[in-house]
Amino acid sequence: MNSDVQIAGDPLAVPHLMPPVPAHPSTVAEFAGLARAVAADRASWAHLVRYDATSRWYHRLRTGPGYEAWLLSWVPGQGSGPHDHGPSSGVLTVLQGELTEITGGTGPHGGARRKLRAGAQRVFAPGYAHEVVNDSLAPAVSLHVYSPGLTEMPMHGKTHEHGARGAAASPLSLQDVLRG
């Protein structure tokens, strides 16, 4: 009896029959799926998490063709300040704890507020402005996947008590913003 390989040939030996490998996720669903896969692999990130009472802690967890993934921790009271992500799209996934996303407002914590509990995801396009704060009583950890990789985070609005710096729409370097 003949095997499939004997009859049809080895598909790996004929590369034109193989579907092309995508350079990076190309749809919103694929980016959200990538974030869920990284989140589910707790062993790859849980031992890296640190908490810093003076500024938000961050760690670039992974890079790939056309994207990067950042791990951030948030102690109670810490926040990002109102900002956008320049030319990058992104997926924010809460890994543990609870964060609040604030959109569409001006001044300290104006606008719509959305509670994000562990497992929640937010997907955003380039130029989407928001603020993320930990206004709970427990630390939180989040994963942020950006495509293309994050190169800027223009700040919007005023400095808040949550440690954000910057003036209206003043671009800061990524290192300045992540230092909090």
Side-chain angles (χ1 to χ4, degrees), residues 107-148:
H109 313 304
R113 299 173 72 85
R114 178 179 285 115
K115 290 283 186 193
L116 304 173
R117 292 177 175 80
Q121 284 191 312
R122 296 289 296 147
V123 177
F124 49 87
Y128 176 77
H130 67 163
E131 178 176 11
V132 179
V133 298
N134 181 354
D135 56 9
S136 74
L137 298 176
V141 179
S142 58
L143 174 71
H144 304 248
V145 178
Y146 299 105
S147 177

Side-chain angles (χ1 to χ4, degrees), residues 56 74 80-85 127-132 146 153-156 177:
R56 285 180 297 132
W74 312 73
S80 64
H83 66 280
D84 67 59
H85 304 92
Y128 176 77
H130 67 163
E131 178 176 11
V132 179
Y146 299 105
M153 272 182 60
M155 300 303 290
H156 301 260
V177 172

Side-chain angles (χ1 to χ4, degrees), residues 10-20:
D10 183 358
L12 298 177
V14 188
H16 69 278
L17 297 177
M18 299 295 295

